[in-house]
Amino acid sequence: MATLPLPQLSDSSQLRPTLSSGLLPILIGLALLLGLLGRLFSGLYAPLWFDETFTAEIASQTNLHDWVRWCLSELGGPVHYGLLFLWEKVAGNSNVALRLPSLAVSIAAPLLILWRGHPDRDVRLLWAAITALSFIGVDSATQARYYALLYLLATAQAILFLRMIERPTLRATMLWTGISALMVLTHYYAAIICGFQGIAFLALCRARALRTWPALIALVPMAAWMLFHLPFLASFASTDVVWNEGLNADDLWLLPCVLTGLAWPGAFVIVAMMASVTTDAVAALRRRAPFPYSPGEAALVAGAILSIALVMGAGFVVPSFNLRYLIPYVPALLLGLALWTRRMMRIVPLAGPLLITTMLGSGMSQLADIIQHPPHNSFNLEDPSAWLADKGVKRMVMLWDNPTAALPDPDGHLAAIGSFFLRRAHVPVDIVVPLWPRSGDPNRLLVDMASRKPGTAILWIYDTAVPGARGREHPWRIPSIDPAWECRDFGKGTGTVLACIR
């Protein structure tokens, strides 16, 4: 019985000039150094922003039962929270301690690429440099959230996918399914690219892929967790709890910025890549020249492109998109950029140096900005909690003014989030969380509730960019209702984090 030839990774070893000499190795070294500095200065000591408070609370749980209950009420999976739960028992729950794991795995991503990223050394160097300078990778490096871990897992998955296509053994497939399961259990949007890669594996390797079916065992824990978690996720499918704005044409600029940190130059690179790959594909179909990329490489990058198109396309129809949701697809897309750049250097030797130099310029500008203006994360509860503690707060009425507050909260998780920093500072406080008002002005509601007992503070959090937030229609005006109230807004831009006390 005839079998298909084994798909091979593209061989760019004959391309000249190589990266072993000349300017580009120096630029790549600078890119790795700048990427490291960008990560170190990206906000390690800043206050935890609102979402990071959830991570801190989950990591600080004292027993496994409560940790599981918290994880089942989160949109993400349990992998990152499990690592932080264990880490917190050793390192504590300070801001720096909670962020160090993200910083470590963010630094590990380009190092993994340098070690095992691609059989071609030149492609490895380009991919590692582009990854080090990638805006979204630097931006997530010191967030106590799952994004940096997701980036590392997606990088490992891309590497393993190419190896699985090259040699579809049970071991290689088991490694790929295991990493894919961890990705999905870190953030469910990873399931999209995992699905595209699985389809590509079956299409390219056929019978050999089917013989690796025992590798599906690695997906059993993922399926078991999702069986319990999906009912909670389904509650977010209602349009009543939408908290994102829909996308428009202007938001398409996000994609080149994600790739290179640049708008117009990044858009030019995307257009040039599309034109070049289309030309190569047409030439291959007409048998004029072999396609310069291996089937695995083409399938990997195509899966990333389709995943991004699906997620962003849905964002134009339903308000459901956030830039961070693209992270599972970025490593494969950046590998595509590295492969294309390496090919272009055969025609234009300066293509690689020009790309890295442009990204270096953007990276240096961003680094200078964050050094001059260290990140502070204005949408946080840490600053208002410290202010209220100084004011002698004993009781607090907290309103999370967001459509998601309409969801049931039988375990009092919102109250725990509102009081986390006070409890961490050993300031005892009773906290009341009123039902989210779907209509009307919350100002009077909060004043009435907080005026019942002395020492009661108000904490009102909302974002005017969120559809449905009551503060969007009725901005805070508590001192105009009762001048005895002292208020301070710790937010900035569209975010409001209002703390008030009599």
Side-chain angles (χ1 to χ4, degrees), residues 394-472:
K394 297 181 176 60
R395 183 174 176 269
M396 185 161 62
V397 176
M398 170 194 166
L399 178 61
W400 167 232
D401 186 0
N402 186 286
T404 58
L407 295 171
D409 183 22
D411 297 318
H413 287 174
L414 279 178
I417 294 301
S419 62
F420 173 79
F421 293 104
L422 291 167
R423 287 184 285 113
R424 192 175 73 171
H426 307 292
V427 177
V429 61
D430 295 326
I431 188 165
V432 177
V433 179
L435 293 175
W436 179 62
R438 292 180 177 271
S439 61
D441 184 353
N443 284 278
R444 176 61 66 180
L445 169 68
L446 293 172
V447 169
D448 289 345
M449 292 188 67
S451 298
R452 296 171 187 172
K453 290 185 178 180
T456 299
I458 293 172
L459 185 61
W460 182 8
I461 312 109
Y462 63 89
D463 188 339
T464 56
V466 172
R470 300 312 307 151
R472 183 174 180 169

Side-chain angles (χ1 to χ4, degrees), residues 8 71 102 121 141 148 161 205 236 265 275-276 324 335 377 388 473:
Q8 298 293 321
C71 288
S102 289
R121 175 178 175 270
F161 176 78
C205 298
F236 281 83
S276 171
R324 294 185 294 271
L335 172 58
N377 298 331
L388 289 174
E473 297 182 25

Side-chain angles (χ1 to χ4, degrees), residues 43-49 52 56 87 92-101 142-144 382 420-421 424:
L44 188 63
Y45 298 97
L48 298 180
W49 68 289
E52 289 179 295
W87 171 252
N93 62 5
S94 69
N95 294 1
V96 173
L98 292 170
R99 286 177 169 145
L100 281 177
T142 52
Q143 291 188 29
E382 189 169 352
F420 173 79
F421 293 104
R424 192 175 73 171

Side-chain angles (χ1 to χ4, degrees), residues 75-81 83 145-151 153 179-190:
L75 284 175
V79 170
H80 177 257
Y81 296 127
L83 293 175
R145 297 295 286 165
Y146 34 66
Y147 302 114
L149 176 62
L150 187 61
Y151 200 112
L153 291 173
I179 288 292
S180 297
L182 290 175
M183 280 179 66
V184 174
L185 289 179
T186 301
H187 196 285
Y188 293 120
Y189 271 67

Side-chain angles (χ1 to χ4, degrees), residues 230-272:
L230 283 177
F232 173 78
L233 297 180
S235 65
F236 281 83
S238 170
T239 56
D240 290 342
V241 295
V242 168
W243 70 94
N244 288 317
E245 291 276 14
L247 292 179
N248 55 58
D250 292 340
D251 293 313
L252 292 176
W253 285 111
L254 293 172
L255 191 54
C257 290
V258 165
L259 279 176
T260 63
L262 304 158
W264 279 108
F268 173 79
V269 169
I270 290 176
V271 171

Side-chain angles (χ1 to χ4, degrees), residues 226 252 273 279 284 290 339 341 364 460:
M226 292 180 69
L252 292 176
M273 284 178 61
T279 301
L339 290 165
T341 302
M364 286 188 286
W460 182 8

Side-chain angles (χ1 to χ4, degrees), residues 172-211:
T173 310
M174 183 72 80
L175 287 173
W176 178 82
T177 54
I179 288 292
S180 297
L182 290 175
M183 280 179 66
V184 174
L185 289 179
T186 301
H187 196 285
Y188 293 120
Y189 271 67
I192 299 172
I193 194 170
C194 294
F196 282 128
Q197 290 182 7
I199 293 170
F201 179 46
L202 293 173
L204 292 173
C205 298
R206 300 184 183 180
R208 289 173 297 157
L210 294 175
R211 286 196 290 270

